[in-house]
């Protein structure tokens, strides 16, 4: 990208709420961008199987090649684009079965070498890596042993984390254990349902509701996720590493009452408990919320808490909280929804609506301030925020004028600035995503990138939003008039 006049001015207003050392980044995840699905001894992940065997993603697409970022020649070009964007940080994830092909046992030297080189190349470009250990690439070998439903996963994840910290721990300042654990459970539930559905071709148009809403027994698994994150943190501490670690990148979904009735207020509170507090309370307050425990019990689900577990989680606290924010949703009481906790999400999107919910920057500010008020203002990093809107990403005459993403970006950065002004302890913002990539069950059909990708040719083209992000970064979160 050529330098813009905004960069040349580069005048940071003294009144900007964003400190000079604020992390401005972009985020991706291994399965969505790497490709190289069988390269150099890599094992299979559940997503390799979901796409290749089950053909669960749209049109039978896979991420076998994806953005080809397993190829160093390719990713070096991508790092050059990130440098042009002006970001000082990049969030990506490690592909567990690339490092441990069977999920446990001896590491795959080539897999580790790939990540070591990527980290070195990012740092050479002046871009700090934020490394997610797990962005849903569960080794298939472990899925076949019960995956997250098996308490042994705490030990498996501990071993994996230890291998990673021994290999890369001294080179990375920011680690994160689990990405959106609630969505991971949603997809596991979706995959199960998909396999059992006679017409196996459905892709939901609405956002996937967290498993809390569709998969009662799945809720037990939350406890294993909590323990696994705590075990990773314990391994991290043992090694006296220089960096910091988060337990989760939490999908924060503000739950709003659909009407002002008392029943809907109650429904929204339960929805908040099942989506948000079930993760936040144990790691930040030391216990599961009573109303959620009671609701689970009412559905015949007991969290598998053993003596000492809650102390273990409390003793292994994270250094910061990752927050993924896209939108908030209204909830109504619905006594007929007996398989759905007696509540229902009432947003019914039209085909023109954003994929992950309506733009609600006000809820972004409110959500961060809620974390400040209810959870003693932990150090936070916004690990994802972004949007994809049908029709917004057309490549016309060599340009993509993604006006809706641009508006979303500007308004959400402003909303974050507002939260900072009101004292929220936020250290960074990572836009999802740097590039259009493989959007899980929706395949390549939903674009979230600042950089357009032609998936057939691997050609990259920064969109309008990319230029605006660079301007925001250079000007303390504002677009100069
Ligand atoms: C959250 C997930 O972490 C990421 O993988 C996904 O692509 C984005 N949301 C957009 O839906």
């Amino acid at each position: 990208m050529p330098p813009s006049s905004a960069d040349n001015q580069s005048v940071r207003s003294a009144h900007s709420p964003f400190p000079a050392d604020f992390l401005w980044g972009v985020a991706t995840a291994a399965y969505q961008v790497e490709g190289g699905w069988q390269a150099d001894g890599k094992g299979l992940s559940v997503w390799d199987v979901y796409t290749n065997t089950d053909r669960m993603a749209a049109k039978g697409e896979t991420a076998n090649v994806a953005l080809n970022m397993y190829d160093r020649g390719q990713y070096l070009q991508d790092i050059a684009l990130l440098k042009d964007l002006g970001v000082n940080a990049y969030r990506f994830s490690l592909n567990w079965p690339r490092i441990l092909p069977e999920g446990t046992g001896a590491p795959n030297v080539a897999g580790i070498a790939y990540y070591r080189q990527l980290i070195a190349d990012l740092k050479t470009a002046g871009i700090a890596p934020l490394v997610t250990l797990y962005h849903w690439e569960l080794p298939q070998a472990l899925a076949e042993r019960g995956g997250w439903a098996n308490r042994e996963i705490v030990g498996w994840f501990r071993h994996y984390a230890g291998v990673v910290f021994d290999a890369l721990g001294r080179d990375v300042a920011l680690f994160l254990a689990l990405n959106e654990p609630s969505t991971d459970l949603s997809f596991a539930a979706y995959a199960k349902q998909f396999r059992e559905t006679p017409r196996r071709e459905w892709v939901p148009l609405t956002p996937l509701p967290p498993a809390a809403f569709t998969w009662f027994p799945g809720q037990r698994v939350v406890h294993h996720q909590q323990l696994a994150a705590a075990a990773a943190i314990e391994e991290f501490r043992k090694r006296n590493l220089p960096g910091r670690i988060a337990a989760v990148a939490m999908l924060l979904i503000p739950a709003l009452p659909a009407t002002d009735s008392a029943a809907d207020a109650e429904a929204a509170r339960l929805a908040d408990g099942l989506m948000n507090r079930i993760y936040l309370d144990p790691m930040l307050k030391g216990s599961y919320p009573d109303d959620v425990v009671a609701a689970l019990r009412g559905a015949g689900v007991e969290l598998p808490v053993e003596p000492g577990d809650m102390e273990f989680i409390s003793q292994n606290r994270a250094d910061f909280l990752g927050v993924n924010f896209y939108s908030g949703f209204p909830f109504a009481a619905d006594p007929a929804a007996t398989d759905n906790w007696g509540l229902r999400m009432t947003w019914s999107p039209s085909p023109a609506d954003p994929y992950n919910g309506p733009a609600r920057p006000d809820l972004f500010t409110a959500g961060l301030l809620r974390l400040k008020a209810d959870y003693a203002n932990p150090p936070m990093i916004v690990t994802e925020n972004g949007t994809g809107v049908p029709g917004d990403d057309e490549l016309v005459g060599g340009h993509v004028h993604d006006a809706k993403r641009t508006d979303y970006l500007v308004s959400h950065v402003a909303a974050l600035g507002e939260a900072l002004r009101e004292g929220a302890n936020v250290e960074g913002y990572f836009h999802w995503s740097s590039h259009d990539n493989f959007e899980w069950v929706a395949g390549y059909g939903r674009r979230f990138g600042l950089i357009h990708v032609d998936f057939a040719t691997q050609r990259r083209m920064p969109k309008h939003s990319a230029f605006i992000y660079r301007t925001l970064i250079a000007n303390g979160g504002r677009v100069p008039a």
Side-chain angles (χ1 to χ4, degrees), residues 145-215:
R145 294 163 73 183
W148 286 102
N150 183 346
R151 190 175 164 114
E152 279 187 65
I153 198 158
V154 181
W156 301 333
F157 194 68
R158 177 192 285 283
H159 172 69
Y160 166 53
V163 167
V164 169
F165 299 145
D166 285 341
L168 311 172
R170 302 233 152 250
D171 298 324
V172 174
L174 294 168
F175 278 105
L176 194 163
L178 305 179
N179 178 69
E180 288 192 11
S182 58
T183 319
D184 190 25
L185 297 190
S186 278
F187 278 127
Y190 182 98
K192 185 169 177 290
Q193 223 174 326
F194 185 84
R195 285 178 178 149
E196 291 163 1
T197 305
R199 285 189 66 227
R200 306 165 79 200
E201 38 184 75
W202 49 283
V203 174
L205 284 173
T206 54
L208 285 166
F213 288 91
T214 53
W215 197 36

Side-chain angles (χ1 to χ4, degrees), residues 58-59 61 355 390 393 437-448 455:
K59 301 186 206 148
E61 288 166 343
Y355 306 121
D393 292 297
N437 58 47
F438 184 83
E439 180 59 18
W440 309 108
V441 290
Y444 298 102
R446 293 180 181 179
R447 293 173 179 270
F448 280 83
F455 299 113

Side-chain angles (χ1 to χ4, degrees), residues 32 135-136 179-180 324 326 356 384 432 439-440 448:
Q32 297 179 272
H135 200 121
W136 314 339
N179 178 69
E180 288 192 11
N324 293 0
Y326 287 85
N356 282 11
E384 284 183 34
W432 185 274
E439 180 59 18
W440 309 108
F448 280 83

